[in-house]
Amino acid sequence: MADVEKRPDTVRLQRISKAFWESAALMSAVELGVFTVLASGNNTIETAANAMGIEAINAERLLVALTAMDLVTRDGKTFSNAPDVDRFLVEGQPSYAGPWMLFGKPRWQGWGELTERLKTPVSEQRILGMYDETFTVERARTYHEATYSIGMGAARRFHKQVDLSARKKIMDLGGGSGCYCIVGAQKHPGLKGEVLDLAPVVEVTNEFLSQNGVTAQVTASVCNFTQDPLPTDADVAIMASNLPQYNREIIAGIVQRVFDALEPGGEFHLIGEMINPAGDGPLAPALWGLSEAVNHSTGLAHSTLDCIGYFENAGFVDVAEVEFIPDTLTRVTGYKPGA
Ligand SMILES: C[S@@+](CC[C@H](N)C(=O)[O-])C[C@H]1O[C@@H](n2cnc3c(N)ncnc32)[C@H](O)[C@@H]1O
């Protein structure tokens, strides 16, 4: 008998329309420390409730939801963490990424106003988007506690893929916590780094550099990379995780300015949330692009092809794309001719 084509139903639509309930459950779980509590052996509703300082009914609500989300598993009266949760969401471990799970929370209200923000005229967009006068040192510190908790892993991955042992200096555009320079300096004692970022961030960058003992090799400078001069003594440039914050014209201009500033023979690695050339995914970069409507910036999701074009138009050669974090970050790399 021929297959009867399945009639569309509302299951998928219902799930997506309430997906923010899941986000809220995960973020509250991190804030209440439930995964840390379970790992410490307080793994029944009553003992977990006590350890979190909430009432049993609320611990039950949360644990049942987290179980249905496959973040914890249940065996009768006891609950335990799923393997990824155990590795990344138990506080006190070096791989703890709880702050990164809370990274989007300051924009919770903004996402709730997405419709209004999508109706905002282009003339009201700001080049620096969310980095306005409300982006204080305090906010930058919370923001980069989050990026650091995930960025050090990304930086280690980068330095495993890319050998900078023969290079002398990295300029890191929008380097934030400085993670790419920190790992580079730890791996190559002769390598220097200069983290370029906005004024409130640079104060925080210096804290991370001190904490990691790399201040003899890595410095941080105030630089708005969309307009300020870039250092001219670097043979490596990195720009990671800020691509969707700017429109095509601005990114093309930045890539050109990096090309002009790099030493001949230098290399540029643009690590960004890029969509595919067909423009139909992956989902994470597409949503990073949408989030720029929330931030009132000019930004959007750039494709891998767009980025390769920015590099080639600027004069870079041997331009190549490499998947960096599957379905999330792609690395486009190019070299400045001459040496
Ligand atoms: C999401 S964070 C990424 C930080 C770091 N690259 C990483 O991968 O962990 C984006 C960073 O870019 C910086 N940034 C954005 N626009 C900038 C600009 N125009 N000039 C300098 N820094 C900028 C922000 O202040 C922030 O520190």
Side-chain angles (χ1 to χ4, degrees), residues 91-128:
E91 230 169 317
Q93 295 184 349
S95 52
Y96 182 62
W100 182 245
M101 301 303 128
L102 303 176
F103 180 77
K105 199 171 174 188
R107 279 172 296 276
W108 181 268
Q109 199 182 335
W111 277 99
E113 294 165 5
L114 180 61
T115 311
E116 291 72 34
R117 300 207 183 186
L118 286 169
K119 290 179 179 171
T120 304
V122 168
S123 57
E124 286 177 31
Q125 290 175 348
R126 303 181 295 249
I127 289 183
L128 289 184

PDB file of all heavy atoms in Angstrom, residues 91-128:
ATOM      1  N   GLU A  91      29.354  23.399  39.042  1.00  0.00           N
ATOM      2  CA  GLU A  91      30.254  24.464  39.455  1.00  0.00           C
ATOM      3  C   GLU A  91      31.509  23.909  40.126  1.00  0.00           C
ATOM      4  O   GLU A  91      31.442  22.871  40.798  1.00  0.00           O
ATOM      5  CB  GLU A  91      29.533  25.390  40.445  1.00  0.00           C
ATOM      6  CG  GLU A  91      29.660  26.820  40.050  1.00  0.00           C
ATOM      7  CD  GLU A  91      28.740  27.729  40.849  1.00  0.00           C
ATOM      8  OE1 GLU A  91      27.563  27.368  41.058  1.00  0.00           O
ATOM      9  OE2 GLU A  91      29.227  28.779  41.254  1.00  0.00           O
ATOM     10  N   GLY A  92      32.624  24.604  39.906  1.00  0.00           N
ATOM     11  CA  GLY A  92      33.871  24.195  40.536  1.00  0.00           C
ATOM     12  C   GLY A  92      34.769  23.426  39.590  1.00  0.00           C
ATOM     13  O   GLY A  92      35.949  23.265  39.846  1.00  0.00           O
ATOM     14  N   GLN A  93      34.209  22.970  38.455  1.00  0.00           N
ATOM     15  CA  GLN A  93      35.060  22.263  37.488  1.00  0.00           C
ATOM     16  C   GLN A  93      35.656  23.282  36.512  1.00  0.00           C
ATOM     17  O   GLN A  93      35.010  24.279  36.194  1.00  0.00           O
ATOM     18  CB  GLN A  93      34.223  21.246  36.705  1.00  0.00           C
ATOM     19  CG  GLN A  93      33.691  20.137  37.589  1.00  0.00           C
ATOM     20  CD  GLN A  93      32.946  19.078  36.791  1.00  0.00           C
ATOM     21  OE1 GLN A  93      32.664  19.263  35.622  1.00  0.00           O
ATOM     22  NE2 GLN A  93      32.639  17.982  37.439  1.00  0.00           N
ATOM     23  N   PRO A  94      36.868  23.006  35.992  1.00  0.00           N
ATOM     24  CA  PRO A  94      37.478  23.960  35.056  1.00  0.00           C
ATOM     25  C   PRO A  94      36.635  24.156  33.792  1.00  0.00           C
ATOM     26  O   PRO A  94      36.679  25.216  33.169  1.00  0.00           O
ATOM     27  CB  PRO A  94      38.835  23.327  34.693  1.00  0.00           C
ATOM     28  CG  PRO A  94      38.984  22.111  35.526  1.00  0.00           C
ATOM     29  CD  PRO A  94      37.721  21.842  36.278  1.00  0.00           C
ATOM     30  N   SER A  95      35.845  23.160  33.433  1.00  0.00           N
ATOM     31  CA  SER A  95      35.045  23.268  32.201  1.00  0.00           C
ATOM     32  C   SER A  95      33.677  23.927  32.459  1.00  0.00           C
ATOM     33  O   SER A  95      32.836  23.972  31.545  1.00  0.00           O
ATOM     34  CB  SER A  95      34.831  21.874  31.609  1.00  0.00           C
ATOM     35  OG  SER A  95      34.304  21.006  32.606  1.00  0.00           O
ATOM     36  N   TYR A  96      33.459  24.454  33.672  1.00  0.00           N
ATOM     37  CA  TYR A  96      32.147  25.019  34.028  1.00  0.00           C
ATOM     38  C   TYR A  96      31.763  26.171  33.081  1.00  0.00           C
ATOM     39  O   TYR A  96      32.524  27.129  32.920  1.00  0.00           O
ATOM     40  CB  TYR A  96      32.176  25.530  35.468  1.00  0.00           C
ATOM     41  CG  TYR A  96      30.845  26.095  35.926  1.00  0.00           C
ATOM     42  CD1 TYR A  96      29.717  25.293  35.980  1.00  0.00           C
ATOM     43  CD2 TYR A  96      30.731  27.432  36.299  1.00  0.00           C
ATOM     44  CE1 TYR A  96      28.492  25.800  36.391  1.00  0.00           C
ATOM     45  CE2 TYR A  96      29.511  27.953  36.728  1.00  0.00           C
ATOM     46  CZ  TYR A  96      28.398  27.133  36.762  1.00  0.00           C
ATOM     47  OH  TYR A  96      27.193  27.630  37.163  1.00  0.00           O
ATOM     48  N   ALA A  97      30.603  26.040  32.438  1.00  0.00           N
ATOM     49  CA  ALA A  97      30.164  27.053  31.464  1.00  0.00           C
ATOM     50  C   ALA A  97      28.819  27.665  31.858  1.00  0.00           C
ATOM     51  O   ALA A  97      28.095  28.192  31.014  1.00  0.00           O
ATOM     52  CB  ALA A  97      30.087  26.434  30.067  1.00  0.00           C
ATOM     53  N   GLY A  98      28.504  27.620  33.158  1.00  0.00           N
ATOM     54  CA  GLY A  98      27.240  28.196  33.633  1.00  0.00           C
ATOM     55  C   GLY A  98      27.052  29.647  33.206  1.00  0.00           C
ATOM     56  O   GLY A  98      25.977  30.008  32.696  1.00  0.00           O
ATOM     57  N   PRO A  99      28.079  30.516  33.374  1.00  0.00           N
ATOM     58  CA  PRO A  99      27.881  31.922  32.983  1.00  0.00           C
ATOM     59  C   PRO A  99      27.492  32.074  31.512  1.00  0.00           C
ATOM     60  O   PRO A  99      26.731  32.965  31.148  1.00  0.00           O
ATOM     61  CB  PRO A  99      29.249  32.561  33.269  1.00  0.00           C
ATOM     62  CG  PRO A  99      29.855  31.699  34.335  1.00  0.00           C
ATOM     63  CD  PRO A  99      29.376  30.299  34.045  1.00  0.00           C
ATOM     64  N   TRP A 100      28.001  31.187  30.652  1.00  0.00           N
ATOM     65  CA  TRP A 100      27.647  31.290  29.224  1.00  0.00           C
ATOM     66  C   TRP A 100      26.173  30.975  29.004  1.00  0.00           C
ATOM     67  O   TRP A 100      25.526  31.526  28.108  1.00  0.00           O
ATOM     68  CB  TRP A 100      28.551  30.367  28.395  1.00  0.00           C
ATOM     69  CG  TRP A 100      28.264  30.466  26.918  1.00  0.00           C
ATOM     70  CD1 TRP A 100      27.768  29.492  26.110  1.00  0.00           C
ATOM     71  CD2 TRP A 100      28.437  31.619  26.074  1.00  0.00           C
ATOM     72  NE1 TRP A 100      27.613  29.957  24.823  1.00  0.00           N
ATOM     73  CE2 TRP A 100      28.011  31.263  24.773  1.00  0.00           C
ATOM     74  CE3 TRP A 100      28.888  32.925  26.298  1.00  0.00           C
ATOM     75  CZ2 TRP A 100      28.041  32.153  23.698  1.00  0.00           C
ATOM     76  CZ3 TRP A 100      28.910  33.816  25.226  1.00  0.00           C
ATOM     77  CH2 TRP A 100      28.494  33.422  23.950  1.00  0.00           C
ATOM     78  N   MET A 101      25.602  30.086  29.826  1.00  0.00           N
ATOM     79  CA  MET A 101      24.172  29.764  29.693  1.00  0.00           C
ATOM     80  C   MET A 101      23.323  30.996  30.030  1.00  0.00           C
ATOM     81  O   MET A 101      22.181  31.111  29.599  1.00  0.00           O
ATOM     82  CB  MET A 101      23.779  28.602  30.615  1.00  0.00           C
ATOM     83  CG  MET A 101      24.525  27.311  30.368  1.00  0.00           C
ATOM     84  SD  MET A 101      24.356  26.723  28.687  1.00  0.00           S
ATOM     85  CE  MET A 101      26.074  26.481  28.213  1.00  0.00           C
ATOM     86  N   LEU A 102      23.888  31.910  30.821  1.00  0.00           N
ATOM     87  CA  LEU A 102      23.134  33.101  31.238  1.00  0.00           C
ATOM     88  C   LEU A 102      23.443  34.317  30.359  1.00  0.00           C
ATOM     89  O   LEU A 102      22.904  35.404  30.586  1.00  0.00           O
ATOM     90  CB  LEU A 102      23.459  33.431  32.703  1.00  0.00           C
ATOM     91  CG  LEU A 102      23.185  32.283  33.687  1.00  0.00           C
ATOM     92  CD1 LEU A 102      23.625  32.686  35.096  1.00  0.00           C
ATOM     93  CD2 LEU A 102      21.702  31.906  33.687  1.00  0.00           C
ATOM     94  N   PHE A 103      24.299  34.119  29.359  1.00  0.00           N
ATOM     95  CA  PHE A 103      24.768  35.232  28.517  1.00  0.00           C
ATOM     96  C   PHE A 103      23.608  35.999  27.878  1.00  0.00           C
ATOM     97  O   PHE A 103      23.622  37.218  27.802  1.00  0.00           O
ATOM     98  CB  PHE A 103      25.691  34.665  27.425  1.00  0.00           C
ATOM     99  CG  PHE A 103      26.249  35.692  26.488  1.00  0.00           C
ATOM    100  CD1 PHE A 103      27.296  36.516  26.886  1.00  0.00           C
ATOM    101  CD2 PHE A 103      25.753  35.839  25.194  1.00  0.00           C
ATOM    102  CE1 PHE A 103      27.831  37.460  26.021  1.00  0.00           C
ATOM    103  CE2 PHE A 103      26.281  36.781  24.321  1.00  0.00           C
ATOM    104  CZ  PHE A 103      27.320  37.592  24.735  1.00  0.00           C
ATOM    105  N   GLY A 104      22.589  35.260  27.407  1.00  0.00           N
ATOM    106  CA  GLY A 104      21.493  35.918  26.699  1.00  0.00           C
ATOM    107  C   GLY A 104      20.451  36.534  27.618  1.00  0.00           C
ATOM    108  O   GLY A 104      19.586  37.277  27.169  1.00  0.00           O
ATOM    109  N   LYS A 105      20.537  36.247  28.915  1.00  0.00           N
ATOM    110  CA  LYS A 105      19.455  36.667  29.805  1.00  0.00           C
ATOM    111  C   LYS A 105      19.245  38.183  29.898  1.00  0.00           C
ATOM    112  O   LYS A 105      18.089  38.636  29.959  1.00  0.00           O
ATOM    113  CB  LYS A 105      19.645  36.063  31.202  1.00  0.00           C
ATOM    114  CG  LYS A 105      18.351  36.077  31.980  1.00  0.00           C
ATOM    115  CD  LYS A 105      18.402  35.308  33.259  1.00  0.00           C
ATOM    116  CE  LYS A 105      17.093  35.531  34.003  1.00  0.00           C
ATOM    117  NZ  LYS A 105      17.108  34.987  35.336  1.00  0.00           N
ATOM    118  N   PRO A 106      20.329  38.990  29.848  1.00  0.00           N
ATOM    119  CA  PRO A 106      20.079  40.440  29.890  1.00  0.00           C
ATOM    120  C   PRO A 106      19.215  40.936  28.730  1.00  0.00           C
ATOM    121  O   PRO A 106      18.643  42.012  28.802  1.00  0.00           O
ATOM    122  CB  PRO A 106      21.491  41.047  29.819  1.00  0.00           C
ATOM    123  CG  PRO A 106      22.402  39.977  30.315  1.00  0.00           C
ATOM    124  CD  PRO A 106      21.764  38.672  29.911  1.00  0.00           C
ATOM    125  N   ARG A 107      19.133  40.161  27.651  1.00  0.00           N
ATOM    126  CA  ARG A 107      18.308  40.598  26.516  1.00  0.00           C
ATOM    127  C   ARG A 107      16.942  39.903  26.487  1.00  0.00           C
ATOM    128  O   ARG A 107      16.223  39.947  25.499  1.00  0.00           O
ATOM    129  CB  ARG A 107      19.069  40.379  25.211  1.00  0.00           C
ATOM    130  CG  ARG A 107      20.064  41.506  24.954  1.00  0.00           C
ATOM    131  CD  ARG A 107      20.964  41.234  23.788  1.00  0.00           C
ATOM    132  NE  ARG A 107      21.816  40.091  24.025  1.00  0.00           N
ATOM    133  CZ  ARG A 107      22.971  40.137  24.675  1.00  0.00           C
ATOM    134  NH1 ARG A 107      23.427  41.277  25.125  1.00  0.00           N
ATOM    135  NH2 ARG A 107      23.692  39.063  24.878  1.00  0.00           N
ATOM    136  N   TRP A 108      16.592  39.282  27.598  1.00  0.00           N
ATOM    137  CA  TRP A 108      15.313  38.559  27.713  1.00  0.00           C
ATOM    138  C   TRP A 108      14.142  39.466  27.369  1.00  0.00           C
ATOM    139  O   TRP A 108      13.277  39.136  26.562  1.00  0.00           O
ATOM    140  CB  TRP A 108      15.202  38.040  29.150  1.00  0.00           C
ATOM    141  CG  TRP A 108      13.976  37.261  29.457  1.00  0.00           C
ATOM    142  CD1 TRP A 108      12.806  37.735  29.953  1.00  0.00           C
ATOM    143  CD2 TRP A 108      13.806  35.843  29.291  1.00  0.00           C
ATOM    144  NE1 TRP A 108      11.911  36.706  30.122  1.00  0.00           N
ATOM    145  CE2 TRP A 108      12.501  35.535  29.722  1.00  0.00           C
ATOM    146  CE3 TRP A 108      14.625  34.821  28.840  1.00  0.00           C
ATOM    147  CZ2 TRP A 108      11.994  34.238  29.709  1.00  0.00           C
ATOM    148  CZ3 TRP A 108      14.116  33.525  28.827  1.00  0.00           C
ATOM    149  CH2 TRP A 108      12.817  33.257  29.256  1.00  0.00           C
ATOM    150  N   GLN A 109      14.147  40.666  27.972  1.00  0.00           N
ATOM    151  CA  GLN A 109      13.041  41.597  27.743  1.00  0.00           C
ATOM    152  C   GLN A 109      13.051  42.092  26.294  1.00  0.00           C
ATOM    153  O   GLN A 109      12.005  42.228  25.671  1.00  0.00           O
ATOM    154  CB  GLN A 109      13.181  42.777  28.693  1.00  0.00           C
ATOM    155  CG  GLN A 109      11.898  43.540  28.856  1.00  0.00           C
ATOM    156  CD  GLN A 109      12.081  44.734  29.776  1.00  0.00           C
ATOM    157  OE1 GLN A 109      12.972  44.746  30.625  1.00  0.00           O
ATOM    158  NE2 GLN A 109      11.250  45.731  29.603  1.00  0.00           N
ATOM    159  N   GLY A 110      14.243  42.334  25.776  1.00  0.00           N
ATOM    160  CA  GLY A 110      14.373  42.799  24.393  1.00  0.00           C
ATOM    161  C   GLY A 110      13.800  41.796  23.406  1.00  0.00           C
ATOM    162  O   GLY A 110      13.089  42.167  22.457  1.00  0.00           O
ATOM    163  N   TRP A 111      14.052  40.510  23.623  1.00  0.00           N
ATOM    164  CA  TRP A 111      13.484  39.483  22.743  1.00  0.00           C
ATOM    165  C   TRP A 111      11.962  39.496  22.835  1.00  0.00           C
ATOM    166  O   TRP A 111      11.273  39.239  21.851  1.00  0.00           O
ATOM    167  CB  TRP A 111      14.027  38.092  23.095  1.00  0.00           C
ATOM    168  CG  TRP A 111      15.365  37.802  22.477  1.00  0.00           C
ATOM    169  CD1 TRP A 111      16.584  37.897  23.084  1.00  0.00           C
ATOM    170  CD2 TRP A 111      15.628  37.383  21.125  1.00  0.00           C
ATOM    171  NE1 TRP A 111      17.582  37.561  22.193  1.00  0.00           N
ATOM    172  CE2 TRP A 111      17.022  37.230  20.989  1.00  0.00           C
ATOM    173  CE3 TRP A 111      14.826  37.106  20.018  1.00  0.00           C
ATOM    174  CZ2 TRP A 111      17.633  36.824  19.803  1.00  0.00           C
ATOM    175  CZ3 TRP A 111      15.436  36.699  18.828  1.00  0.00           C
ATOM    176  CH2 TRP A 111      16.817  36.565  18.728  1.00  0.00           C
ATOM    177  N   GLY A 112      11.450  39.824  24.020  1.00  0.00           N
ATOM    178  CA  GLY A 112       9.989  39.912  24.185  1.00  0.00           C
ATOM    179  C   GLY A 112       9.405  41.063  23.383  1.00  0.00           C
ATOM    180  O   GLY A 112       8.200  41.096  23.127  1.00  0.00           O
ATOM    181  N   GLU A 113      10.272  42.007  23.006  1.00  0.00           N
ATOM    182  CA  GLU A 113       9.813  43.165  22.214  1.00  0.00           C
ATOM    183  C   GLU A 113      10.260  43.055  20.762  1.00  0.00           C
ATOM    184  O   GLU A 113      10.371  44.060  20.055  1.00  0.00           O
ATOM    185  CB  GLU A 113      10.394  44.455  22.822  1.00  0.00           C
ATOM    186  CG  GLU A 113       9.868  44.757  24.200  1.00  0.00           C
ATOM    187  CD  GLU A 113      10.702  45.813  24.922  1.00  0.00           C
ATOM    188  OE1 GLU A 113      11.630  46.382  24.316  1.00  0.00           O
ATOM    189  OE2 GLU A 113      10.418  46.032  26.111  1.00  0.00           O
ATOM    190  N   LEU A 114      10.541  41.817  20.317  1.00  0.00           N
ATOM    191  CA  LEU A 114      11.119  41.642  18.976  1.00  0.00           C
ATOM    192  C   LEU A 114      10.251  42.267  17.878  1.00  0.00           C
ATOM    193  O   LEU A 114      10.770  42.901  16.961  1.00  0.00           O
ATOM    194  CB  LEU A 114      11.356  40.146  18.699  1.00  0.00           C
ATOM    195  CG  LEU A 114      11.968  39.826  17.329  1.00  0.00           C
ATOM    196  CD1 LEU A 114      13.339  40.473  17.164  1.00  0.00           C
ATOM    197  CD2 LEU A 114      12.087  38.312  17.137  1.00  0.00           C
ATOM    198  N   THR A 115       8.940  42.095  17.995  1.00  0.00           N
ATOM    199  CA  THR A 115       8.064  42.619  16.931  1.00  0.00           C
ATOM    200  C   THR A 115       8.254  44.122  16.778  1.00  0.00           C
ATOM    201  O   THR A 115       8.464  44.624  15.666  1.00  0.00           O
ATOM    202  CB  THR A 115       6.587  42.309  17.268  1.00  0.00           C
ATOM    203  OG1 THR A 115       6.513  40.933  17.617  1.00  0.00           O
ATOM    204  CG2 THR A 115       5.673  42.595  16.101  1.00  0.00           C
ATOM    205  N   GLU A 116       8.223  44.829  17.917  1.00  0.00           N
ATOM    206  CA  GLU A 116       8.401  46.295  17.861  1.00  0.00           C
ATOM    207  C   GLU A 116       9.779  46.626  17.300  1.00  0.00           C
ATOM    208  O   GLU A 116       9.944  47.545  16.499  1.00  0.00           O
ATOM    209  CB  GLU A 116       8.288  46.926  19.257  1.00  0.00           C
ATOM    210  CG  GLU A 116       6.884  46.893  19.863  1.00  0.00           C
ATOM    211  CD  GLU A 116       6.439  45.498  20.295  1.00  0.00           C
ATOM    212  OE1 GLU A 116       7.292  44.713  20.744  1.00  0.00           O
ATOM    213  OE2 GLU A 116       5.240  45.181  20.147  1.00  0.00           O
ATOM    214  N   ARG A 117      10.777  45.839  17.715  1.00  0.00           N
ATOM    215  CA  ARG A 117      12.149  46.152  17.279  1.00  0.00           C
ATOM    216  C   ARG A 117      12.317  45.889  15.784  1.00  0.00           C
ATOM    217  O   ARG A 117      13.079  46.571  15.112  1.00  0.00           O
ATOM    218  CB  ARG A 117      13.152  45.392  18.121  1.00  0.00           C
ATOM    219  CG  ARG A 117      12.986  45.793  19.594  1.00  0.00           C
ATOM    220  CD  ARG A 117      14.213  45.659  20.416  1.00  0.00           C
ATOM    221  NE  ARG A 117      13.870  46.002  21.813  1.00  0.00           N
ATOM    222  CZ  ARG A 117      14.740  46.092  22.784  1.00  0.00           C
ATOM    223  NH1 ARG A 117      16.010  45.871  22.545  1.00  0.00           N
ATOM    224  NH2 ARG A 117      14.365  46.393  24.010  1.00  0.00           N
ATOM    225  N   LEU A 118      11.594  44.889  15.267  1.00  0.00           N
ATOM    226  CA  LEU A 118      11.667  44.631  13.817  1.00  0.00           C
ATOM    227  C   LEU A 118      10.974  45.745  13.022  1.00  0.00           C
ATOM    228  O   LEU A 118      11.203  45.899  11.832  1.00  0.00           O
ATOM    229  CB  LEU A 118      11.037  43.272  13.483  1.00  0.00           C
ATOM    230  CG  LEU A 118      11.879  42.050  13.880  1.00  0.00           C
ATOM    231  CD1 LEU A 118      11.065  40.768  13.755  1.00  0.00           C
ATOM    232  CD2 LEU A 118      13.152  41.942  13.040  1.00  0.00           C
ATOM    233  N   LYS A 119      10.108  46.499  13.703  1.00  0.00           N
ATOM    234  CA  LYS A 119       9.443  47.610  13.018  1.00  0.00           C
ATOM    235  C   LYS A 119      10.248  48.906  13.107  1.00  0.00           C
ATOM    236  O   LYS A 119       9.860  49.924  12.536  1.00  0.00           O
ATOM    237  CB  LYS A 119       8.055  47.851  13.641  1.00  0.00           C
ATOM    238  CG  LYS A 119       7.060  46.741  13.321  1.00  0.00           C
ATOM    239  CD  LYS A 119       5.734  47.052  13.990  1.00  0.00           C
ATOM    240  CE  LYS A 119       4.699  46.001  13.696  1.00  0.00           C
ATOM    241  NZ  LYS A 119       3.489  46.210  14.518  1.00  0.00           N
ATOM    242  N   THR A 120      11.366  48.858  13.857  1.00  0.00           N
ATOM    243  CA  THR A 120      12.187  50.065  14.016  1.00  0.00           C
ATOM    244  C   THR A 120      12.827  50.427  12.675  1.00  0.00           C
ATOM    245  O   THR A 120      13.407  49.559  12.020  1.00  0.00           O
ATOM    246  CB  THR A 120      13.311  49.814  15.054  1.00  0.00           C
ATOM    247  OG1 THR A 120      12.702  49.384  16.257  1.00  0.00           O
ATOM    248  CG2 THR A 120      14.136  51.052  15.302  1.00  0.00           C
ATOM    249  N   PRO A 121      12.739  51.703  12.259  1.00  0.00           N
ATOM    250  CA  PRO A 121      13.330  52.066  10.970  1.00  0.00           C
ATOM    251  C   PRO A 121      14.862  51.946  10.994  1.00  0.00           C
ATOM    252  O   PRO A 121      15.490  52.154  12.040  1.00  0.00           O
ATOM    253  CB  PRO A 121      12.918  53.525  10.774  1.00  0.00           C
ATOM    254  CG  PRO A 121      12.168  53.936  11.968  1.00  0.00           C
ATOM    255  CD  PRO A 121      12.052  52.795  12.918  1.00  0.00           C
ATOM    256  N   VAL A 122      15.416  51.621   9.844  1.00  0.00           N
ATOM    257  CA  VAL A 122      16.869  51.484   9.699  1.00  0.00           C
ATOM    258  C   VAL A 122      17.580  52.758  10.177  1.00  0.00           C
ATOM    259  O   VAL A 122      18.670  52.706  10.744  1.00  0.00           O
ATOM    260  CB  VAL A 122      17.209  51.176   8.213  1.00  0.00           C
ATOM    261  CG1 VAL A 122      18.698  51.301   7.935  1.00  0.00           C
ATOM    262  CG2 VAL A 122      16.706  49.777   7.851  1.00  0.00           C
ATOM    263  N   SER A 123      16.927  53.907   9.971  1.00  0.00           N
ATOM    264  CA  SER A 123      17.567  55.178  10.349  1.00  0.00           C
ATOM    265  C   SER A 123      17.841  55.251  11.854  1.00  0.00           C
ATOM    266  O   SER A 123      18.646  56.055  12.300  1.00  0.00           O
ATOM    267  CB  SER A 123      16.686  56.348   9.919  1.00  0.00           C
ATOM    268  OG  SER A 123      15.407  56.195  10.505  1.00  0.00           O
ATOM    269  N   GLU A 124      17.166  54.406  12.628  1.00  0.00           N
ATOM    270  CA  GLU A 124      17.397  54.439  14.086  1.00  0.00           C
ATOM    271  C   GLU A 124      18.412  53.404  14.549  1.00  0.00           C
ATOM    272  O   GLU A 124      18.657  53.245  15.748  1.00  0.00           O
ATOM    273  CB  GLU A 124      16.064  54.230  14.826  1.00  0.00           C
ATOM    274  CG  GLU A 124      15.190  55.473  14.762  1.00  0.00           C
ATOM    275  CD  GLU A 124      13.838  55.274  15.424  1.00  0.00           C
ATOM    276  OE1 GLU A 124      13.745  54.494  16.389  1.00  0.00           O
ATOM    277  OE2 GLU A 124      12.878  55.908  14.951  1.00  0.00           O
ATOM    278  N   GLN A 125      19.019  52.681  13.609  1.00  0.00           N
ATOM    279  CA  GLN A 125      20.020  51.685  13.999  1.00  0.00           C
ATOM    280  C   GLN A 125      21.298  52.389  14.454  1.00  0.00           C
ATOM    281  O   GLN A 125      21.656  53.444  13.944  1.00  0.00           O
ATOM    282  CB  GLN A 125      20.353  50.779  12.807  1.00  0.00           C
ATOM    283  CG  GLN A 125      19.222  49.845  12.444  1.00  0.00           C
ATOM    284  CD  GLN A 125      19.524  49.049  11.178  1.00  0.00           C
ATOM    285  OE1 GLN A 125      20.464  49.342  10.455  1.00  0.00           O
ATOM    286  NE2 GLN A 125      18.714  48.060  10.918  1.00  0.00           N
ATOM    287  N   ARG A 126      21.975  51.725  15.417  1.00  0.00           N
ATOM    288  CA  ARG A 126      23.234  52.290  15.934  1.00  0.00           C
ATOM    289  C   ARG A 126      24.374  51.393  15.484  1.00  0.00           C
ATOM    290  O   ARG A 126      24.267  50.167  15.584  1.00  0.00           O
ATOM    291  CB  ARG A 126      23.215  52.319  17.464  1.00  0.00           C
ATOM    292  CG  ARG A 126      22.046  53.089  18.067  1.00  0.00           C
ATOM    293  CD  ARG A 126      22.157  53.069  19.574  1.00  0.00           C
ATOM    294  NE  ARG A 126      22.026  51.722  20.106  1.00  0.00           N
ATOM    295  CZ  ARG A 126      20.991  51.293  20.830  1.00  0.00           C
ATOM    296  NH1 ARG A 126      19.995  52.114  21.088  1.00  0.00           N
ATOM    297  NH2 ARG A 126      20.950  50.065  21.302  1.00  0.00           N
ATOM    298  N   ILE A 127      25.480  52.010  15.061  1.00  0.00           N
ATOM    299  CA  ILE A 127      26.610  51.180  14.586  1.00  0.00           C
ATOM    300  C   ILE A 127      27.077  50.253  15.700  1.00  0.00           C
ATOM    301  O   ILE A 127      27.278  49.058  15.484  1.00  0.00           O
ATOM    302  CB  ILE A 127      27.765  52.055  14.063  1.00  0.00           C
ATOM    303  CG1 ILE A 127      27.338  52.694  12.745  1.00  0.00           C
ATOM    304  CG2 ILE A 127      29.034  51.215  13.844  1.00  0.00           C
ATOM    305  CD1 ILE A 127      28.387  53.523  12.053  1.00  0.00           C
ATOM    306  N   LEU A 128      27.211  50.776  16.912  1.00  0.00           N
ATOM    307  CA  LEU A 128      27.725  49.933  17.995  1.00  0.00           C
ATOM    308  C   LEU A 128      26.629  49.123  18.692  1.00  0.00           C
ATOM    309  O   LEU A 128      26.905  48.428  19.661  1.00  0.00           O
ATOM    310  CB  LEU A 128      28.524  50.761  18.998  1.00  0.00           C
ATOM    311  CG  LEU A 128      29.880  51.278  18.492  1.00  0.00           C
ATOM    312  CD1 LEU A 128      30.637  52.000  19.601  1.00  0.00           C
ATOM    313  CD2 LEU A 128      30.757  50.173  17.911  1.00  0.00           C
TER     314      LEU A 128
END
